[in-house]
Amino acid sequence: MDFGLVLQTDPPAAQVISLMKRAERNGFRYGWTFDSAVLWQEPFVIHSQILANTRRLTVGTMVTNPGTRTWEVTASTFATLNDMFGNRTVCGIGRGDSAMRVAGRPPNTLARLSAAMKVIRALASGQEADLGGTTVRFPWVGQDARLPVWMAAYGPKALKMAGEEADGFILQLADPYLTRTMVQAVRDAAAAAGRDPDELSICVAAPAYLTEDDSADALAHAREQCRWFGGMVGNHVADLVAKYGAHSDLVPEALTDYIKAREGYDYSHHGRADNPDTAFVPDDIVDRFCVIGTAEQHIARMRELQDIGVDQFALYAMHDARERVVDGYGTSVIPALRG
């Protein structure tokens, strides 16, 4: 199993770069950042410095979207980084939650996302693509260029599309039951489309918080540091409930039930441990969606995910123990999963 570190591009950028260097030293193979132009600093500028200051780390967006950048610009940015640093990027992409809504726009449709993925992958890999009637190709992209496109998804239509079209699937929660259900949906869709399901990369992304013991006080603090994640996922779940209903056969109740007490969401606190709009998230959701507890408990959860077919666990480190979780994974969790 591979491991990734997910960060927001909060200033100072030097701290983001330092944490990514620390992650590589501890055995992480991927470095991811959010992409939301209003809320955080420009990720691709920082990606260039992460790549320049690491040797093996693959860097990507978790996630960009097809609405805040034109598709040829996104493709050119990734292709430039790959030309400079040797095919060390991956394009994580989704409909756009915070990036679109903060700018006063709704998230992108799946049809638009589908078209964008094809264009971005083709152009960044040196192939031709149709930009709405104009066929273009980057003349400077070499024959060895490649850009994997991994799609974030929750709902049934999105999961189907990820299996049919994406190079990888990003699931932003670490609940074993829901992971098994959604990964199977993606793999089934890939097989039905004539693809080899084993060729899809499966990435689970969620907060991880290491505690010295499993005492009530230690776990309570860890939950408070990670409760924001249930609120973030709740935004996507609310969209699914609005589309399919609260008790649809297409969306498991294990995913939708917990947002009944959700009253709203202020994106100015998005992805932060002090988010006041996540009080509705119960402890059991934090325990299921995130990975908290001792190193042994983290290793046990990773083994569950690995048995389901997860290729990478990308841990969100938006809490008060970022260095400790990176170092702890490096000394205990990563060696156990690779040993």
Side-chain angles (χ1 to χ4, degrees), residues 135-156:
T135 300
V136 301
R137 178 183 174 274
F138 296 156
W140 48 271
V141 173
Q143 293 182 342
D144 296 332
R146 59 175 177 79
L147 177 67
V149 178
W150 295 8
M151 178 180 162
Y154 289 108

Side-chain angles (χ1 to χ4, degrees), residues 154-157 177-178 181 237 239-257 260:
Y154 289 108
K157 291 182 179 179
Y177 168 75
L178 289 171
T181 300
V237 175
D239 287 345
L240 295 177
V241 169
K243 184 177 182 65
Y244 297 105
H247 302 288
S248 170
D249 292 337
L250 298 174
V251 183
E253 291 187 7
L255 180 62
T256 61
D257 272 359
K260 291 176 181 176

Side-chain angles (χ1 to χ4, degrees), residues 44 47 59-61 64 73-84 87 89-92 120 124 140 146-148:
F44 290 111
H47 287 183
V59 177
T61 47
T64 192
V73 169
T74 299
S76 181
T77 304
F78 276 110
T80 301
L81 292 173
N82 281 339
D83 184 63
M84 293 172 66
N87 288 339
T89 70
V90 56
C91 176
I120 292 167
W140 48 271
R146 59 175 177 79
L147 177 67

Side-chain angles (χ1 to χ4, degrees), residues 135-199:
T135 300
V136 301
R137 178 183 174 274
F138 296 156
W140 48 271
V141 173
Q143 293 182 342
D144 296 332
R146 59 175 177 79
L147 177 67
V149 178
W150 295 8
M151 178 180 162
Y154 289 108
K157 291 182 179 179
L159 294 170
K160 182 174 182 291
M161 195 175 99
E164 292 172 344
E165 302 181 23
D167 302 303
F169 166 48
I170 297 172
L171 176 59
Q172 295 176 86
L173 54 81
D175 173 75
Y177 168 75
L178 289 171
T179 299
R180 186 181 302 277
T181 300
M182 294 182 181
V183 167
Q184 190 61 53
V186 170
R187 291 186 178 277
D188 288 347
R195 307 179 70 195
D196 182 354
D198 292 334
E199 292 185 356

